[in-house]
Amino acid sequence: MKSRFTISIFILLILFIVGCTAPETGEEQEEKKDTPIVDTSVDTEGNTDSSSPSKSTENISSLEQVQGDIRHVHYAGKGKVLISAERLYLYDLDTENILTEVSQESKENERVWIIDNGYVVIQEMEDDSVSMIEWEPDYQGVFYNEDLQQEFDFDFNQLLEEDDFLMSLKQISFNHDGTNMAYATDSGLYLYDFELEKKTKVLDLASDNLAARSNLAALEQIGFINDGTQIAFKAQTLPSQLDQPSYDTCGIVNIDGSNLSNHTFDNYTCKDLIAYNDWILLAEDVTNATGRLMVMEQKTEKTTIHTLTDKDESGIIAGSDEGAYFATFRSSNQDYIIRIYDTKTGELIEELQNSVDEEALLNQQPILKVVDDTRTIILLLGSKQEDIETKIIVNHF
């Protein structure tokens, strides 16, 4: 187990990768609350023009069975989602039924990966006895089968080298069958084989040979692509003059470390990575949106830039579970707009407008999910905020 960090080292690390993706919102501690609100009405009289009318939200009564406040919704494949509250629920969007559930308390930071015949859940555990001066992350993972029966669990921290550090769960990815996990720390990009219980280093970010690692300083987000043979990444890269700050790049590398590519783009800065098997979505910075979204093809690394309806909406992008669509979100005062686009063409498919009773629900970045099979939009508002009851809104397009 790695040693505890001092606050000075932690701050230096944060400063070193300044300019990376906007920090994850919602620093509040988790608080158990009442059953979440399910919105059953949609305002179709928004202030912006819509190419197609908004559709009514359906009342999903089975969500009343969810214990506690919903904190996360994760893709589960085949028209299903995982709902994370005081327990973990597998929910069928077509039949609107909870299929099964398991005891697992939701955490503020958690991610889910769909693998063959099941799921992997990794959570950052909370330890109130540890101060910020001594803070070190504690990541725990669980493999479930399709019925949410636990297969095995693992302690991610045992893979970290002494004084190695993982900043975010976005620095972890699983291949489609769950046999291999990629993860990026401040010292490198690694591959872990669960069957062989073997760890290999794909990229050495501590090497003095900057050219060999294409001047990469930190891999902030990663994702398997091309049937698990390659890893796409969003990175910070060192300039040629080391007295200058690092800058945003993205690229692809084979899992054996070969064919490393690292890109910048004219008049476009990639801040958020959404990786699929055959293509990659590269979203802009939420604080500096220009109304565009870049799509990169895996085979050719050719890029296409889609122009969106409004400038402000490109800062919050949610890719659908299989990648056929992406959705954007923008809000003003108590009103918000969700737009759904075709990923391949950039065509606007649907626009949904609504308002909330409490403006505070829109103070933090929402959780937005798009499910291809059932053409469903799921929006969580307030799930990252203390003392606010989560509002869940479900639409079909």
Side-chain angles (χ1 to χ4, degrees):
M1 178 65 65
K2 58 190 177 60
S3 65
R4 297 187 179 273
F5 288 89
T6 64
I7 188 64
S8 60
I9 294 177
F10 180 76
I11 293 175
L12 287 173
L13 180 59
I14 295 295
L15 293 176
F16 176 72
I17 61 170
V18 65
C20 64
T21 55
E24 295 180 359
T25 57
E27 297 295 331
E28 299 82 5
Q29 294 180 347
E30 180 178 2
E31 181 175 290
K32 298 180 182 179
K33 309 171 189 174
D34 297 329
T35 302
I37 301 169
V38 179
D39 195 330
T40 59
S41 63
V42 173
D43 178 11
T44 59
E45 298 179 355
N47 296 324
T48 62
D49 294 332
S50 173
S51 60
S52 57
S54 299
K55 300 184 179 180
S56 296
T57 302
E58 298 181 9
N59 183 12
I60 303 183
S61 58
S62 57
L63 287 182
E64 296 175 359
Q65 302 172 26
V66 172
Q67 298 179 22
D69 209 20
I70 295 176
R71 302 300 298 271
H72 299 278
V73 173
H74 306 284
Y75 294 130
K78 301 177 183 179
K80 298 187 289 292
V81 292
L82 287 167
I83 298 173
S84 185
E86 288 185 11
R87 296 172 66 83
L88 184 64
Y89 300 85
L90 182 62
Y91 185 82
D92 190 304
L93 291 165
D94 188 30
T95 63
E96 299 177 5
N97 287 317
I98 293 174
L99 301 177
T100 187
E101 60 187 82
V102 66
S103 176
Q104 177 189 272
E105 185 177 342
S106 175
K107 299 298 181 183
E108 182 177 327
N109 295 320
E110 66 179 36
R111 287 195 69 188
V112 170
W113 292 263
I114 304 170
I115 60 173
D116 289 351
N117 304 316
Y119 314 98
V120 182
V121 179
I122 295 185
Q123 296 182 318
E124 182 179 341
M125 309 307 288
E126 300 162 359
D127 186 353
D128 295 335
S129 66
V130 178
S131 68
M132 280 298 297
I133 295 178
E134 299 177 315
W135 176 81
E136 61 180 33
D138 179 13
Y139 300 111
Q140 301 296 321
V142 180
F143 280 75
Y144 295 101
N145 67 13
E146 290 181 319
D147 298 319
L148 286 190
Q149 294 176 336
Q150 184 171 329
E151 299 287 335
F152 66 92
D153 56 16
F154 69 97
D155 180 0
F156 177 83
N157 304 277
Q158 66 184 353
L159 300 179
L160 297 177
E161 301 290 341
E162 185 75 14
D163 292 337
D164 213 353
F165 197 73
L166 185 95
M167 289 289 295
S168 166
L169 291 178
K170 291 185 177 182
Q171 294 173 295
I172 299 175
S173 183
F174 284 81
N175 69 345
H176 66 89
D177 61 11
T179 58
N180 286 311
M181 175 181 67
Y183 63 97
T185 69
D186 54 337
S187 65
L189 174 64
Y190 297 88
L191 194 68
Y192 183 74
D193 188 313
F194 282 93
E195 293 181 340
L196 300 177
E197 297 184 353
K198 179 181 178 181
K199 179 177 72 172
T200 57
K201 181 175 283 189
V202 179
L203 292 175
D204 186 357
L205 299 183
S207 169
D208 292 333
N209 188 346
L210 295 180
R213 55 182 164 111
S214 194
N215 277 40
L216 288 169
L219 302 182
E220 300 166 327
Q221 303 166 40
I222 63 172
F224 275 105
I225 59 173
N226 194 18
D227 297 323
T229 62
Q230 293 180 306
I231 298 170
F233 60 82
K234 156 70 179 68
Q236 285 293 303
T237 296
L238 296 172
S240 55
Q241 296 180 337
L242 296 183
D243 59 339
Q244 299 297 314
S246 61
Y247 55 92
D248 299 288
T249 61
C250 67
I252 297 173
V253 64
N254 292 345
I255 59 173
D256 63 0
S258 63
N259 294 331
L260 170 63
S261 63
N262 190 25
H263 302 284
T264 57
F265 307 98
D266 294 335
N267 301 317
Y268 192 92
T269 301
C270 52
K271 280 290 187 179
D272 194 29
L273 171 80
I274 306 172
Y276 297 96
N277 193 60
D278 298 321
W279 60 88
I280 307 160
L281 306 186
L282 297 167
E284 296 182 301
D285 187 352
V286 65
T287 63
N288 190 29
T290 66
R292 299 175 296 166
L293 174 68
M294 177 177 286
V295 180
M296 176 185 287
E297 295 180 3
Q298 169 267 320
K299 290 183 179 179
T300 63
E301 300 190 25
K302 176 184 176 182
T303 59
T304 301
I305 295 181
H306 297 319
T307 300
L308 309 181
T309 304
D310 289 328
K311 174 181 176 181
D312 295 339
E313 67 181 299
S314 62
I316 300 179
I317 300 287
S320 65
D321 57 340
E322 297 179 1
Y325 308 100
F326 66 90
T328 68
F329 180 93
R330 65 183 297 266
S331 63
S332 177
N333 298 321
Q334 292 178 242
D335 302 318
Y336 66 85
I337 298 175
I338 299 172
R339 293 190 176 99
I340 303 99
Y341 296 86
D342 184 285
T343 300
K344 186 174 293 185
T345 66
E347 175 188 0
L348 177 63
I349 302 298
E350 191 85 58
E351 181 177 285
L352 307 171
Q353 303 179 36
N354 208 338
S355 60
V356 295
D357 296 330
E358 298 179 72
E359 187 175 349
L361 286 167
L362 301 175
N363 286 344
Q364 296 284 344
Q365 186 168 320
I367 293 175
L368 181 61
K369 299 294 181 181
V370 185
V371 181
D372 294 85
D373 285 352
T374 57
R375 291 172 66 97
T376 303
I377 295 285
I378 302 174
L379 176 67
L380 281 190
L381 297 174
S383 64
K384 301 177 182 180
Q385 295 172 259
E386 191 174 350
D387 299 327
I388 293 182
E389 189 175 8
T390 298
K391 187 170 188 177
I392 181 168
I393 301 162
V394 182
N395 285 87
H396 296 279
F397 64 95

